Amino acid sequence: MRPSLPQLEALAALAFLGASVSIASSFVGIAAPSATHHPASEDTSADAPAPPHRNRATPVADYTLDVSLDTDQHTVDGSGTITWRNHSERPVDALYLHLYANAFRSNATQFLSDRRPGGRGTGPVRDFGHLEVKSLSVREHGPADIWPHAEPADPAQPEDRTDMRVPLLRPVQPGSEIRVDVAWTTKLPSIVERMGYAGSFHMVAQWFPKIARLEPDGTFAHFTFDRLGEFYADFGTYDVTISVPAGFTVGATGPRLSDVKRGDRRVVRHVQPDVHDFAFCAYDGFEEKRRSVEGVDVRLLHPPGYTAVAEEQMEAVAYGLRQLARSYGRYPYSTLTLVHPPEGAGEANGMEYPTLITTGGRWWRYGAFGSARAVTLHELAHQWFYGLVATNEWRWPFLDEGLTTFAEVDVLDEGWGDQGALRLRGWGVRASTALRFVGAGAGHDDVIAQSAPAFESGYSYGRLVYARTALVLETLDRVYEGGMRRALGRYARAYRFAHPDPKALIETVEETMGAEAAKALETCLYERGWIDLAIEDLSCAGGTCALVVTRRGSVVLPVTVRWLYADGTSTQTRWDGRDEQATLELETTKPVSAALLDPLHAVLLDEDLANNAISRRPAPGAWRTRGALSFLTATGLSVVSP
Amino acid sequence: MSAGHRRYRWIRALPYVVFGYLLRVAVAVVLTHPFVSVVKRTLGGWPDGDRMLYEPGALMLSEVLRLHGTALTGLLEQSALASLLMVPVGAMVASIVLSALASERPRDALHVVTSALRHFAPVAWLTLLQLVGVGGTLLLALVTREGFASAMRGTFSPRTADIASASTLVVGLAAVCAIVIVTDTARAAAVREKLDTASAVVHALRVGARRPGALGAAFAARASAALLVLTSTLATALHLGLEAPLHAAAVLTMAHAGAFVTACLRASWLARAMDLATAVEVSGAGFDRSPRSDAPSDPTPSPDS
């Protein structure tokens, strides 16, 4: 019996719909890196002249801690011993302790009373937190509890107990060592600024009394916890035993040495030398992925339903570990833990701790969207810039965030080509394009090289410290043909397990790339450096063409000039960029049709790429754009008109 | 008219479909001209012109957006507002196409236009009803989905909650399709059976109740074919890109051809809706004029033929 027309139409509808879904589904899927080699692997200049990197840190503060997490009360009870060494030139008569969790004690703290817009931690805290030291004594000075004599380090902020000064009974001489016995309780806040709890998920970071970094001159780098600022401490060994309820999974810094059940508790012990912080998380809903990459045990903890995005993050880590090691030196630890916080714990997303990183994002943000791989690679790169090169994040936030962002974008560009930020089948957005979009106009906002509290808003902090810094580095890398990558490779190796400042970076850049590059970097970091290259005029007469060019701004960079001939060929010359205006001449017998300044867009910092070209022919019609936009609009108008 | 003949009746309206499509393209060219002008002026110094917008990596595209984002946003708002003026124009075009489908003298343009003007009021009201109905339904579906997802999140994983709550979007989409089917059928009935707005809606609902399968299948086949055309175009555009001139020309030709095909599919659907509307008795006598077969029986001759 012949099928009826409605039956045929129904079948046709199913077939067309199936075909549409099939085509649409080719847009989704994990985006694995496509490149398998890194040009830097062929570039050994970063290794050859640089000093071999240290294999171990000089331990200053070792923490042996025993803690118990109460997931109902959201408290961490801890006790332990800090073995601390005075490695400075002067005797020390007081210790400074970071008690970061006290930032969430009340709305009177510097952190919670900060009204600057933008950045993390701007939402109201539903449940306050604190860190209460119960006792603190120095074994070498007797059994007396000296904590009652502790006071806020900043007398101007008596309500803020994040930065505490503890007078010692006796000075600690240079080269001497003391053992500090401490007991405390940390009440975790509802999740805010990287730590706290959301449901049964507990992100336990900045949770113990941490001795501030002692500089070689004998001063402590202590500071009140600022909402835009991060952390700074000395290297040492962390030996931490953590007790959690039996059904919880723990992700923590360093390898796990033991994992036992004691009644209704699970007790794990993690030991990690050569680090300057320790964080852990506990959750009863994690699923786990594991992979060995270049001898590193990579463990990824994620909530249920996040398998695909977790897979993409694992691919990114596997690729990133190899690439970053080639550029900046071997990853020296045996483990790396990735934690994807569950929904509702977004404040814990995107953070770095030694050998532990948190990623985050929605379950569907992978494949076309670059955010999953970007945040993973960013936090991974922090293992070098912050973890190994342990700069003062409060004083010089750009020194870790900016370099990390550069490294992240570099890996994305290498591995995902023109689709690092957005990937749609054959088309995409390059990661460095996204970087430029954010950072290009920010140069006038404020100075990059300043402390976190000095920024007026979280927005300017983010744009300058992350995007603008990385854009400057990317520009210098392109202009000096990979020079910045080589310079950072040398810097990362020279200052591994050290605490350099911006001067060290600039000196390394000067040694590797020359004085001009170092000057450009300095201008950008300290003087709101900016640049806009432009072509004013092109004229040709009597076998000579003259190109009037302008360099606006304070940054001086050499630039390639491409002269296009009417016959389709071209030639290139170079402009040193020193003069603010110059007339460049070309002797030629062939008619010149156009001239391009920086044709390959090496100067990504250039504030306006549109004025970098001049043509003696009529402007080409934008027929592609006209055709595409008219199609899209006509299709949209079909809603109202057949 | 035989069943086979009637199946291709929409071709009678082809000249008017072409007119409607060209009108849409002309309006689109006008509406998008400011954007094209911005692009042309921004990249005027570059010999490659707007080809640079489509280079892999999107550097120059992002640059144009970065430099002129504020202005382009304003232009977008203006274009969106201006496109509202197409609503009455679109209603007139719809009326012309429907009149051509209903007329026994489709080649007589004056006759078709006169008929279209006579039926413009109900067609316009039904067009407006369709727009408001579709818009409101989509909004309701989105809001319901949010609420559903939030309610489920406490018990289920975010992924499960999001996927399950997407069912409200499916329901919403089905409701949108139903609204389009009913209003299109009502428009067809208004022209073919010379009904006012309310009567046309009632009649369309009656047709839907009597011939749901035929109506639904007719719409689904053409809507899904249009969807396939659009997704294929998008996939081809992304695959080939607009950078190389030959690729760009091929993609744009394919795109516009595809858009014209969807216009023809729309006309085909309207013709089918008109046939089904004609097959059911308008006066509500309660009987179906045609046997329940794939082809309706000959329609009652209209005064126009």
Side-chain angles (χ1 to χ4, degrees):
Chain A
M1 192 170 126
R2 223 165 53 103
S4 65
L5 180 57
Q7 286 169 334
L8 285 171
E9 286 173 335
L11 279 170
L14 283 171
F16 293 144
L17 203 56
S20 300
V21 168
S22 173
I23 292 171
S25 66
S26 68
F27 285 84
V28 300
I30 293 165
S34 53
T36 53
H37 81 278
H38 188 303
S41 67
E42 293 140 15
D43 174 11
T44 56
S45 62
D47 289 318
H53 56 65
R54 298 180 189 85
N55 287 324
R56 300 296 306 272
T58 303
V60 174
D62 296 331
Y63 292 76
T64 304
L65 308 174
D66 217 307
V67 304
S68 177
L69 172 65
D70 183 331
T71 52
D72 293 325
Q73 302 300 317
H74 315 297
T75 55
V76 178
D77 278 307
S79 63
T81 304
I82 309 169
T83 304
W84 183 81
R85 300 161 191 88
N86 179 358
H87 65 100
S88 75
E89 310 154 346
R90 297 191 347 210
V92 167
D93 59 7
L95 294 178
Y96 286 82
L97 261 57
H98 292 299
L99 306 182
Y100 291 113
N102 280 334
F104 315 113
R105 188 181 204 88
S106 75
N107 286 324
T109 63
Q110 175 172 318
F111 186 101
L112 289 182
S113 61
D114 187 334
R115 292 281 169 259
R116 289 174 296 174
R120 285 191 207 245
T122 50
V125 177
R126 198 174 29 82
D127 184 15
F128 290 119
H130 59 259
L131 197 166
E132 208 65 65
V133 174
K134 294 192 275 202
S135 68
L136 191 149
S137 59
V138 178
R139 274 190 224 173
E140 286 74 10
H141 299 171
D145 178 6
I146 59 174
W147 183 251
H149 304 289
E151 57 190 5
D154 184 359
Q157 303 217 52
E159 291 296 318
D160 194 301
R161 298 173 72 83
T162 60
D163 180 19
M164 299 295 287
R165 181 178 179 277
V166 187
L168 298 170
L169 295 176
R170 291 201 297 278
V172 180
Q173 298 302 321
S176 295
E177 178 181 292
I178 56 172
R179 285 166 296 171
V180 180
D181 293 315
V182 61
W184 78 95
T185 296
T186 299
K187 162 70 177 64
L188 295 172
S190 52
I191 199 147
V192 60
E193 192 75 7
R194 313 181 186 90
M195 64 179 290
Y197 69 93
S200 59
F201 173 78
H202 291 74
M203 186 67 223
V204 187
Q206 313 308 334
W207 53 282
F208 57 94
K210 193 192 290 184
I211 299 180
R213 150 100 181 135
L214 180 68
E215 301 289 7
D217 64 1
T219 59
F220 279 93
H222 66 99
F223 42 84
T224 309
F225 189 18
D226 184 86
R227 191 169 61 77
L228 297 182
E230 292 190 80
F231 316 105
Y232 189 37
D234 277 307
F235 284 95
T237 296
Y238 282 76
D239 181 344
V240 182
T241 303
I242 306 164
S243 164
V244 297
F248 277 66
T249 302
V250 173
T253 295
R256 181 167 298 176
L257 263 55
S258 68
D259 187 344
V260 297
K261 263 218 168 85
R262 287 188 193 144
D264 64 347
R265 306 288 292 181
R266 180 180 188 178
V267 181
V268 300
R269 181 177 169 219
H270 285 247
V271 179
Q272 180 61 68
D274 306 323
V275 291
H276 50 74
D277 197 4
F278 186 101
F280 71 94
C281 69
Y283 184 44
D284 58 357
F286 275 140
E287 293 178 359
E288 184 172 328
K289 281 190 184 316
R290 221 154 176 152
R291 196 191 284 196
S292 178
V293 179
E294 309 267 300
V296 178
D297 178 19
V298 181
R299 186 176 175 230
L300 196 158
L301 303 173
H302 64 90
Y306 287 71
T307 308
V309 71
E311 191 54 48
E312 183 162 282
Q313 290 172 355
M314 191 59 105
E315 290 293 325
V317 161
Y319 182 76
L321 269 175
R322 293 186 190 101
Q323 300 298 66
L324 292 166
R326 286 196 187 102
S327 294
Y328 308 116
R330 188 181 56 85
Y331 178 78
Y333 308 112
S334 62
T335 65
L336 177 68
T337 301
L338 283 78
V339 174
H340 191 122
E343 203 177 70
E347 279 275 330
N349 289 357
M351 184 55 190
E352 72 280 3
Y353 306 95
T355 79
L356 183 146
I357 63 176
T358 66
T359 55
R362 299 289 191 106
W363 63 267
W364 45 266
R365 288 189 78 93
Y366 64 95
F369 304 98
S371 54
R373 47 189 180 267
V375 71
T376 302
L377 288 168
H378 183 92
E379 305 312 333
L380 177 64
H382 264 307
Q383 296 302 303
W384 280 265
F385 300 112
Y386 143 87
L388 295 170
V389 182
T391 52
N392 186 338
E393 295 185 297
W394 177 88
R395 181 64 187 92
W396 306 112
F398 84 91
L399 211 45
D400 71 302
E401 295 298 352
L403 273 63
T404 292
T405 305
F406 168 80
E408 165 213 336
V409 169
D410 193 40
V411 174
L412 281 169
D413 279 353
E414 284 294 327
W416 285 265
D418 292 318
Q419 302 183 333
L422 181 68
R423 176 179 161 269
L424 288 173
R425 278 191 80 157
W427 185 81
V429 178
R430 202 170 175 85
S432 48
T433 296
L435 177 71
R436 180 189 150 73
F437 191 86
V438 176
H444 306 279
D445 290 357
D446 207 341
V447 169
I448 295 175
Q450 57 180 336
S451 66
F455 285 91
E456 291 298 320
S457 73
Y459 304 122
S460 63
Y461 173 89
R463 288 180 72 192
L464 289 167
V465 159
Y466 289 73
R468 183 77 180 175
T469 306
L471 190 63
V472 169
L473 298 175
E474 179 71 26
T475 296
L476 292 173
D477 191 58
R478 291 184 182 205
V479 169
Y480 293 97
E481 293 166 355
M484 183 52 70
R485 207 189 269 161
R486 290 192 295 275
L488 290 183
R490 182 186 287 202
Y491 165 81
R493 289 169 172 84
Y495 294 100
R496 174 174 281 224
F497 298 127
H499 306 272
D501 60 11
K503 193 159 156 286
L505 173 66
I506 292 170
E507 280 171 1
T508 307
V509 167
E510 183 163 0
E511 280 164 21
T512 316
M513 299 165 67
E516 194 176 62
K519 177 67 187 152
L521 177 62
E522 226 174 346
T523 305
C524 289
L525 294 177
Y526 290 97
E527 298 167 28
R528 302 184 200 215
W530 66 282
I531 184 171
D532 178 17
L533 301 165
I535 294 180
E536 303 294 342
D537 187 65
L538 171 66
S539 58
C540 297
T544 304
C545 282
L547 185 70
V548 180
V549 294
T550 299
R551 175 188 58 79
R552 302 177 190 123
S554 49
V555 177
V556 175
L557 291 170
V559 182
T560 300
V561 181
R562 184 179 294 167
W563 307 77
L564 300 172
Y565 296 114
D567 63 3
T569 58
S570 66
T571 190
Q572 288 190 170
T573 58
R574 198 96 167 134
W575 175 37
D576 61 20
R578 291 202 183 111
D579 293 325
E580 284 171 359
Q581 233 183 22
T583 299
L584 311 176
E585 289 185 348
L586 179 75
E587 306 285 335
T588 176
T589 53
K590 292 198 281 187
V592 168
S593 62
L596 311 177
L597 212 50
D598 188 30
L600 297 180
H601 309 301
V603 187
L604 269 192
L605 209 53
D606 189 341
E607 298 215 340
D608 184 351
L609 298 179
N611 59 13
N612 290 16
I614 193 164
S615 177
R616 301 178 76 206
R617 289 181 174 159
W623 61 270
R624 289 174 180 79
T625 306
R626 194 180 298 280
L629 288 183
S630 62
F631 159 71
L632 290 170
T633 305
T635 303
L637 288 173
S638 68
V639 169
V640 298
S641 177
Chain B
M1 189 182 295
S2 69
H5 200 183
R6 192 171 292 110
R7 205 163 293 171
Y8 300 106
R9 189 158 61 119
W10 70 270
I11 294 176
R12 303 196 300 171
L14 190 59
Y16 305 97
V17 172
V18 171
F19 162 72
Y21 175 70
L22 290 176
L23 181 65
R24 261 196 286 139
V25 171
V27 169
V29 167
V30 170
L31 287 177
T32 56
H33 178 75
F35 302 94
V36 176
S37 181
V38 167
V39 166
K40 190 176 163 190
R41 285 168 200 281
T42 303
L43 301 177
W46 291 85
D48 283 346
D50 75 335
R51 175 186 176 148
M52 303 180 73
L53 289 190
Y54 307 101
E55 284 171 348
L59 178 62
M60 287 310 275
L61 175 62
S62 83
E63 182 67 351
V64 170
L65 293 175
R66 191 183 68 81
L67 289 173
H68 303 297
T70 306
L72 290 173
T73 306
L75 288 173
L76 194 62
E77 289 168 1
Q78 181 194 46
S79 296
L81 286 170
S83 64
L84 290 177
L85 296 173
M86 266 301 280
V87 174
V89 174
M92 188 63 208
V93 172
S95 191
I96 290 173
V97 169
L98 287 165
S99 296
L101 289 171
S103 173
E104 293 301 324
R105 286 187 279 144
R107 286 184 192 169
D108 186 344
L110 185 60
H111 165 76
V112 167
V113 170
T114 308
S115 175
L117 283 168
R118 226 179 4 251
H119 301 116
F120 176 71
V123 170
W125 281 117
L126 289 165
T127 302
L128 204 57
L129 184 67
Q130 185 179 83
L131 287 174
V132 171
V134 166
T137 304
L138 286 175
L139 197 58
L140 186 63
L142 285 169
V143 169
T144 308
R145 192 217 74 85
E146 261 316 302
F148 196 5
S150 295
M152 288 187 70
R153 262 179 171 70
T155 318
F156 299 96
S157 74
R159 184 167 179 269
T160 305
D162 284 344
I163 292 174
S165 65
S167 60
T168 61
L169 293 178
V170 173
V171 169
L173 203 57
V176 162
C177 290
I179 290 169
V180 171
I181 289 172
V182 167
T183 47
D184 276 353
T185 307
R187 290 196 293 183
V191 172
R192 187 77 176 99
E193 306 294 337
K194 297 169 190 29
L195 300 174
D196 59 45
T197 309
S199 306
V201 171
V202 168
H203 184 64
L205 290 170
R206 193 197 310 280
V207 172
R210 296 265 172 92
R211 305 292 298 274
L215 211 54
F219 178 79
R222 289 151 182 88
S224 55
L227 183 65
L228 180 60
V229 167
L230 283 173
T231 45
S232 305
T233 302
L234 183 63
T236 307
L238 289 174
H239 183 67
L240 288 181
L242 294 180
E243 197 196 346
L246 206 57
H247 288 173
V251 167
L252 291 174
T253 304
M254 183 184 158
H256 281 280
F260 179 67
V261 165
T262 59
C264 295
L265 286 167
R266 185 87 174 268
S268 168
W269 149 245
L270 289 172
R272 189 85 177 102
M274 185 173 284
D275 285 345
L276 290 168
T278 310
V280 173
E281 176 61 48
V282 171
S283 63
F287 64 87
D288 191 327
R289 267 184 274 181
S290 70
R292 288 191 81 82
S293 68
D294 57 332
S297 54
D298 289 342
T300 304
S302 82
D304 291 339
S305 62

